[in-house]
Amino acid sequence: MDEVVSQILEKQVLSAAKAVEDKLDEEIAALDHLDPDDIEALRERRIQQMRRAAERRAKWRALRHGEYTEVPEKEFFSAAKASERLVCHFYRDNWPCKVVDKHLSILAKQHVETRFVKVHAEKAPFLTEKLRIVVLPTLAIVKNAKVEDYVVGFDELGGKDDFSTEDLEERLAKSQVILDGEGSAYAAKQAAATKRSVRQSDTGNSSDSE
């Protein structure tokens, strides 16, 4: 079993490395056609992008993105207003909710663009009634301070508690409450699928022109 897991991880690492290598090759090829002024403008633009990204990440960290934290009922609305994207787990102390806790703890670290919190449903009667929370666990998906979607129980995750973090990640991605993330298996799979699609398109075009 350990050997199989090691082989899978090795393939994922090699795939990610190949994607980075291909991206660098594309950038190098593009640079070959630029004059010094273009290169300097590109460098300056890249520096500005990196600076904005660093500022954005610092803001997220200040709002406790990258963590999976519990918030009391009265802090839910301020948290929803402060963060553009938020996933809130309404839970009670039972096994299904602990399963969700495990996966959200992982996703919180991978998706710092989104805040992940949990609220004890039995200690938040006003909030659970307002948001019509009945089944636990329920994930409320909040974007721009509005609840736009819910993941109720495990029905959308295979109906059992043995779903993977990637399964939950894919479901959240469908609601666009998470973006690419860092070290995300789902994001890596999506990137690989996009690349295969582009390659197949190029192959098809070549065949048509022959």
Side-chain angles (χ1 to χ4, degrees):
M1 182 65 178
D2 291 341
E3 184 178 348
V4 172
V5 172
S6 297
Q7 289 175 351
I8 292 172
L9 290 173
E10 184 178 354
K11 287 181 180 178
Q12 290 179 342
V13 170
L14 290 174
S15 177
K18 184 67 167 59
V20 171
E21 184 180 339
D22 291 345
K23 181 65 175 176
L24 286 173
D25 288 342
E26 291 173 8
E27 292 179 356
I28 291 170
L31 287 174
D32 288 341
H33 298 88
L34 297 177
D35 61 37
D37 289 341
D38 291 332
I39 292 174
E40 182 58 31
L42 186 64
R43 177 177 176 275
E44 182 60 30
R45 188 162 63 248
R46 180 59 176 156
I47 289 173
Q48 291 298 327
Q49 289 173 343
M50 292 174 66
R51 183 174 294 136
R52 285 194 295 270
E55 290 172 353
R56 189 166 59 245
R57 288 178 65 84
K59 178 184 176 183
W60 288 337
R61 293 293 185 186
L63 293 171
R64 302 197 71 178
H65 287 221
E67 306 174 36
Y68 177 48
T69 55
E70 181 160 2
V71 297
E73 181 179 50
K74 62 183 180 181
E75 290 183 17
F76 171 82
F77 293 104
S78 59
K81 289 177 181 177
S83 297
E84 183 179 350
R85 291 170 295 273
L86 179 139
V87 175
C88 181
H89 173 205
F90 287 89
Y91 81 101
R92 69 162 57 101
D93 295 321
N94 62 18
W95 171 251
C97 292
K98 291 182 186 300
V99 171
V100 173
D101 281 339
K102 179 189 72 173
H103 295 301
L104 292 184
S105 295
I106 295 170
L107 292 176
K109 293 180 176 63
Q110 293 178 345
H111 292 276
V112 294
E113 75 280 2
T114 301
R115 184 158 186 205
F116 289 81
V117 301
K118 64 178 181 176
V119 170
H120 196 300
E122 294 171 352
K123 296 178 181 179
F126 169 77
L127 190 56
T128 53
E129 182 177 350
K130 182 177 179 63
L131 299 183
R132 299 178 182 176
I133 305 297
V134 178
V135 176
L136 299 176
T138 286
L139 302 183
I141 295 172
V142 185
K143 294 191 291 182
N144 298 311
K146 295 181 180 178
V147 178
E148 295 196 354
D149 197 4
Y150 294 94
V151 180
V152 180
F154 297 159
D155 288 348
E156 296 182 70
L157 301 167
K160 297 181 180 179
D161 63 8
D162 60 353
F163 61 91
S164 67
T165 302
E166 187 178 344
D167 290 333
L168 179 56
E169 184 179 28
E170 184 171 356
R171 173 59 183 86
L172 295 177
K174 287 179 181 178
S175 295
Q176 299 181 335
V177 72
I178 57 174
L179 306 179
D180 290 343
E182 300 175 351
S184 160
Y186 172 71
K189 187 172 75 172
Q190 290 297 98
T194 300
K195 194 162 190 177
R196 282 196 302 272
S197 178
V198 170
R199 284 176 175 168
Q200 288 168 358
S201 176
D202 289 345
T203 303
N205 291 336
S206 297
S207 299
D208 291 342
S209 63
E210 289 176 357

